[in-house]
Amino acid sequence: MKGYYGVYGGQFVAETLIHALDELEEAFAKFKRDKSAKGELDDLLKNYAGRPTPLYYAKNLSRYLGCDVYLKREDLLHSGAHKLNNTLGQAILTKFMEKRRIIAETGAGQHGVATATAAALLGIECIVYMGKIDAERQRPNLLRMKLLGADVRIVEKGSMTLKSAINEALRDWVKNVQATHYILGSVVGPHPFPEIVAYFQSIIGREAKRQILKQAGKLPDCVIACVGGGSNAIGIFKGFLKDNVELIGVEAGGESLELGKHSATLAMGRPGILHGSLSYLLQDDCGQVAKVHSISAGLDYPGIGPEHSYLKDTGRVKYGVCFDSEALDGFKILSKLEGIIPALESAHAVGYVLKKRDYFKGKMIVINVSGRGDKDLGIIESMEENGV
Amino acid sequence: MCKIGIYLVCDYPDRDRFLKAVKLCERFGVDFLEIGIPFSDPTADGDVIEMASLQVLTREDMNDFHEALETVREIYSKRLYVMTYANVVYANGIEDFAKKFSFVDGVILADVPFKESKRFKGVFGRYDIGFVNFVTPETDLNALKKIKTFANDFIYFVSIRGTTGGEFNLDSGAINRLERLKEGKQDVIVGFGIRTKNDIEKACKYADGVVIGTEAIKSLTLSRLEDFLRNVIS
């Protein structure tokens, strides 16, 4: 069915938004066929954002783990994470639709910064919703967004994290839908958002596949990426879905797998409806959305993109869990051994490999380093002060 | 005749005052009631209803709401609707929800547009529960025809862009669509932003009735629901 991945997906939004979603779907179809819009995006990705990002053979980490580790360096993309692939694409799409105002939600601030960056570049008004807790724990990104000219609106309702930011962005969109485009930052939300974001992020996987074939002469055994909403994971997985390559998504295990203390939606959730789509969801017995936790603001979300739910059910992608403390191990090891400070989100993928090092022994693997960790230094500092 | 419906958040501000509010609605001859079952992430609602919902959720769950609604059914004689969000119905199976609430006349799900309504409507239909579809000032005219044909309860006309509690207004897109819905078999009820008698008169030029939510909740919070009802109904 259109807009569905198996049984997951759909358009569970207020009727008021249906017209805008129809319009977006139509514009996106036209955009994909439009040579000049595509040309503009390709040029910006190359000359402004810095694509292709390197695929780097991590010699020291490989030696340490006893396997061949390649890192896809999305942390080197302009503005510090893979998010810009999507925001540049959708910002051009916004102009294509002749809309003058962009709104976005952000958790870790990476999508907010990437949206503010694209909006500054293309001269579009930009409003970013960010939960109060996230604004405090990811303060460097808050300051960056403001410098880039975005109007950052702090959300002091609900969980005050990514989920609340999406709630407020949706409310803004319902009210201002005629002149506003909502740039969703992950492969979540109502159709066609999961498809659009995956389309713009799939460049990661296309590049990685070309690069690994060139460098190693063969496909990797495994590709590993962290999963919150799931955009960097879908982006890199898309390059290998049809190949005989094991794909592993790593969810945030938080402090423990007790409900309320983690964000491991696929591991512990069941199908539900939130923010426009039917997908796995962390919820209580009555269907109220559960509280979640992760040390990483970008993974601290009770839902997940519908395509991931589908990939889990079909078994094509395996999903694992990395706890806060294990992610910190990954964060530190990658910094020390390779001189690469990853975002706490990406550190979950590294931490998972460390934890399962026996499983990966002798294999060739690609880890998607979805973002860089400058924004997380405050969190690391306070954890060390508290003796964690 | 212009029908007037009132929306109340289940068990807000507490069970006692909520049931008293229902009794007032019965006494004033309110034509239908919509009782909101609170959801943790009510994205279609403005601040007033969101705050009320979250307050109730800190102390109550589905069993409480079910119990409260059964009592409402005993004391309120006209049409009774449950209004909530998709996941509240979906979480334990639509069938299970329908069985549990088979005593209500209809269900309204704020985040289920016509496109996604089939799976819900089908199940509710078997329990003789109506399913309310929405139309907005921007609803595609072909879709509007379908909605009109397949409606099995009233059509909820969302008069404004935005969440509940915004300013009431009917623009040309709204009036155009309301006129197309006029000769349909189902009532057309205007909601979102209705506050005053004046709003009601304006809406009822084109529709069969209105539903008032945010203003009712506000007056209930201030213990002034009786005055409010007297004012809009008389």
Side-chain angles (χ1 to χ4, degrees), chain A residues 4 11 22 157 171 270 285, chain B residues 40 42 47 91-92 115-116:
Chain A
Y4 275 83
Q11 292 184 317
D22 288 347
K157 292 195 289 189
R171 290 188 176 111
R270 61 194 165 98
D285 294 341
Chain B
S40 53
D47 285 348
N92 292 307
K115 276 184 184 182
E116 300 288 354

Side-chain angles (χ1 to χ4, degrees), chain A residues 314-360:
Chain A
T314 59
R316 176 62 191 95
V317 178
K318 197 170 98 185
Y319 292 87
V321 165
C322 176
F323 293 99
D324 283 352
S325 57
E326 294 165 342
L328 278 172
D329 292 343
F331 186 89
K332 287 178 184 163
I333 286 279
L334 196 62
S335 304
K336 276 191 189 136
L337 289 183
E338 296 290 348
I340 295 169
I341 301 175
L344 273 174
E345 289 75 25
S346 327
H348 282 71
V350 182
Y352 181 80
V353 173
L354 286 179
K355 166 163 81 167
K356 302 270 182 187
R357 57 196 297 171
D358 290 344
Y359 178 78
F360 293 107

Side-chain angles (χ1 to χ4, degrees), chain B residues 31 38 60 81 142 159 185 211:
Chain B
D31 295 289
E60 299 190 19
Y81 294 85
N142 287 323
S159 53
K185 58 188 190 308
V211 58

